[in-house]
Amino acid sequence: YIFMIDNIKITNTQILSDNWYHLKKVTYSYTKQDGSVHVQSREAYDRGNGAAILLYNTVHKTVIMTRQFRLPTYINGNPTGMMIEACAGLLDMENPEECIVRETEEETGYTVTSVQKVIEAYMSPGSVTDILYFFVAEYDAHMKTGKGGGAEPEEENLTVLEIKMDEAMLMISDGLIRDGKTIMLLQYLRLNSLV
């Protein structure tokens, strides 16, 4: 289904914050089906597009993920603030494939040369502008070329985890894995019988 939107007119954009990325207040008008024109203001956080990847091993039936502290989850009730996640990062002017190959090496220590794009999605379209590109790639022990843990200049502090696929699926049910992108990638692997 394709819906053409030719009745949206942006009338004002105000930068509320550009401390980390850009928080904008956008005022726009739109015409409803009955012909009436309405004006609304909404805030949108523009942090750039990103990419995520889940490494999997078909022989050992394992996946590679990371654990790190996420402040927004902590202030929203996650008692430790720690999250188990698929490797991910912002594109920073790269194409998604280049980005995810670099992020994989920085965060997990694995060097991958072949990645498979599986989907792309807006993760929080009501308030955040970013599109996330999702990838999977096979890994094995000889591809471990570094220690991982994240990039020093970015002050990342990641722990690399190798987890059995069945255990990872149980961790979703138990609430130990609560990150949307990670759940989507784990479900993709399971639905496509890759692990």
Side-chain angles (χ1 to χ4, degrees):
Y1 298 93
I2 298 176
F3 299 96
M4 299 304 290
I5 303 296
D6 57 4
N7 61 351
I8 303 292
K9 181 179 179 187
I10 295 176
T11 58
N12 189 43
T13 301
Q14 176 186 2
I15 302 292
L16 300 179
S17 174
D18 63 356
N19 187 37
W20 186 249
Y21 295 107
H22 295 286
L23 177 62
K24 300 175 183 178
K25 181 178 181 181
V26 179
T27 303
Y28 62 98
S29 64
Y30 67 97
T31 306
K32 294 179 78 173
Q33 289 182 351
D34 65 6
S36 61
V37 177
H38 295 263
V39 176
Q40 290 187 337
S41 288
R42 295 286 186 266
E43 292 179 7
Y45 189 54
D46 183 354
R47 58 188 295 275
N49 296 328
I53 191 168
L54 193 55
L55 303 180
Y56 67 96
N57 184 292
T58 55
V59 175
H60 299 291
K61 307 223 178 290
T62 53
V63 291
I64 298 292
M65 292 185 282
T66 63
R67 182 176 54 233
Q68 64 181 306
F69 176 76
R70 294 293 200 182
L71 176 65
T73 75
Y74 183 73
I75 61 177
N76 194 28
N78 179 0
T80 65
M82 300 303 286
M83 295 289 288
I84 296 173
E85 304 177 34
C87 171
L90 295 175
L91 299 189
D92 295 329
M93 305 305 288
E94 296 171 294
N95 71 47
E97 291 83 1
E98 291 171 337
C99 168
I100 207 58
V101 167
R102 176 184 49 76
E103 287 289 340
T104 300
E105 190 166 353
E106 286 177 4
E107 292 190 4
T108 71
Y110 285 88
T111 300
V112 293
T113 55
S114 177
V115 298
Q116 176 190 350
K117 181 183 169 195
V118 295
I119 56 172
E120 57 186 70
Y122 290 98
M123 296 302 292
S124 189
S127 59
V128 184
T129 63
D130 66 321
I131 295 174
L132 191 61
Y133 298 89
F134 291 77
F135 296 88
V136 294
E138 289 191 69
Y139 80 94
D140 59 38
H142 85 275
M143 297 166 74
K144 181 81 168 169
T145 58
K147 64 181 177 72
E152 285 290 331
E154 296 175 25
E155 296 185 9
E156 293 178 308
N157 184 24
L158 309 171
T159 302
V160 180
L161 307 171
E162 184 173 37
I163 300 173
K164 290 283 189 185
M165 180 64 176
D166 287 343
E167 181 183 349
M169 296 304 289
L170 287 174
M171 291 169 79
I172 296 172
S173 300
D174 294 341
L176 297 173
I177 293 178
R178 300 172 70 187
D179 174 63
K181 67 183 175 296
T182 304
I183 293 169
M184 291 168 71
L185 283 167
L186 287 167
Q187 292 288 359
Y188 176 85
L189 291 180
R190 182 51 48 99
L191 288 171
N192 289 279
S193 303
L194 295 174
V195 181

